[in-house]
Amino acid sequence: GAGVSQSPSNKVTEKGKDVELRCDPISGHTALYWYRQSLGQGLEFLIYFQGNSAPDKSGLPSDRFSAERTGGSVSTLTIQRTQQEDSAVYLCASSLRLAAKNIQYFGAGTRLSVL
Amino acid sequence: GQSLEQPSEVTAVEGAIVQINCTYQTSGFYGLSWYQQHDGGAPTFLSYNALDGLEETGRFSSFLSRSDSYGYLLLQELQMKDSASYFCAVRRNQGGKLIFGQGTELSVKP
């Protein structure tokens, strides 16, 4: 596709439910990142996939969060037993492998609201 | 720990020049990036510095001093459309992971 696509754009869920957020990166980009952005805050790194290497999961805030990337393309971020503090915008980005400037191209995000 | 400091808000008038500073303390440094984000929009890449000095891209320039752990973004000939949040982000190694600052909200007034 032309850019990074994320779905859904908005998700409202009840506390305790599981949610899945989807990211379609730019075709040919081997690196994929998930970030979280709370209102008026910076981007918080969650997880990073690079090709077939083991993902860097160092930013996942708890074991309720997990992500996978199938076939080196689409990625799904799963949040189990959602809590109100999980409410945020979840942003996905992709980049070319080891590009000199590491330009990351972001999707429009999924706004998650946990009631 | 890792920390990046940048002013929370900056206000300037149309046509002026504004500088947004960023100081960082990170374990490892490979490069400093700048991203722009309009309200409700996706962050977009502006500039990247891996070496000391000034990088110029049109109206935007970015500077880095590795010895001072400091960089800045310079915006010239400000336009109303430049009103947005600006984030500095450190790349700690050759991998792609970025650590972002809290962002600077720039308001451009007529």
Side-chain angles (χ1 to χ4, degrees):
Chain A
V4 177
S5 176
Q6 292 188 245
S7 61
S9 54
N10 284 283
K11 177 72 177 177
V12 180
T13 190
E14 294 179 350
K15 178 180 170 181
K17 301 282 190 184
D18 298 351
V19 295
E20 285 190 352
L21 313 179
R22 178 187 167 103
C23 173
D24 277 282
I26 293 172
S27 177
H29 282 191
T30 56
L32 185 147
Y33 316 81
W34 283 99
Y35 295 90
R36 178 170 71 174
Q37 186 175 32
S38 299
L39 189 63
Q41 300 296 308
L43 283 70
E44 175 190 5
F45 167 79
L46 296 177
I47 188 168
Y48 159 46
F49 296 89
Q50 173 57 67
N52 296 321
S53 303
D56 177 351
K57 304 180 182 180
S58 59
L60 294 179
S62 77
D63 59 9
R64 295 187 296 106
F65 288 72
S66 63
E68 63 177 22
R69 189 177 185 192
T70 53
S73 182
V74 171
S75 177
T76 302
L77 177 69
T78 301
I79 309 173
Q80 296 179 309
R81 305 181 302 282
T82 51
Q83 304 294 313
Q84 288 182 333
E85 61 261 29
D86 299 335
S87 296
V89 176
Y90 289 81
L91 291 161
C92 174
S94 69
S95 70
L96 288 169
R97 180 181 182 274
L98 299 180
K101 295 186 176 183
N102 186 39
I103 298 174
Q104 296 188 14
Y105 297 85
F106 284 82
T110 294
R111 183 175 299 277
L112 175 66
S113 300
V114 182
L115 304 179
Chain B
Q2 327 290 339
S3 71
L4 285 82
E5 298 287 333
Q6 51 181 131
S8 58
E9 296 179 349
V10 173
T11 301
V13 297
E14 215 173 357
I17 299 172
V18 72
Q19 178 174 313
I20 299 174
N21 298 321
C22 174
T23 57
Y24 57 88
Q25 284 188 316
T26 57
S27 56
F29 179 85
Y30 198 82
L32 185 71
S33 299
W34 289 90
Y35 283 79
Q36 177 192 61
Q37 185 180 33
H38 285 97
D39 258 355
T44 56
F45 173 83
L46 290 177
S47 192
Y48 176 77
N49 296 72
L51 302 175
D52 287 357
L54 194 67
E55 289 282 338
E56 298 182 74
T57 310
R59 294 187 298 115
F60 293 2
S61 303
S62 59
F63 173 82
L64 175 66
S65 169
R66 295 175 66 124
S67 59
D68 295 323
S69 298
Y70 164 76
Y72 67 72
L73 179 69
L74 191 73
L75 297 84
Q76 302 182 72
E77 301 172 18
L78 280 174
Q79 302 175 8
M80 298 296 289
K81 67 178 182 179
D82 297 330
S83 293
S85 291
Y86 293 83
F87 296 89
C88 59
V90 165
R91 180 185 183 188
R92 290 167 52 204
N93 50 45
Q94 196 178 19
K97 174 180 166 182
L98 293 176
I99 301 169
F100 281 83
Q102 294 298 295
T104 298
E105 185 174 353
L106 172 64
S107 298
V108 180
K109 308 292 186 185

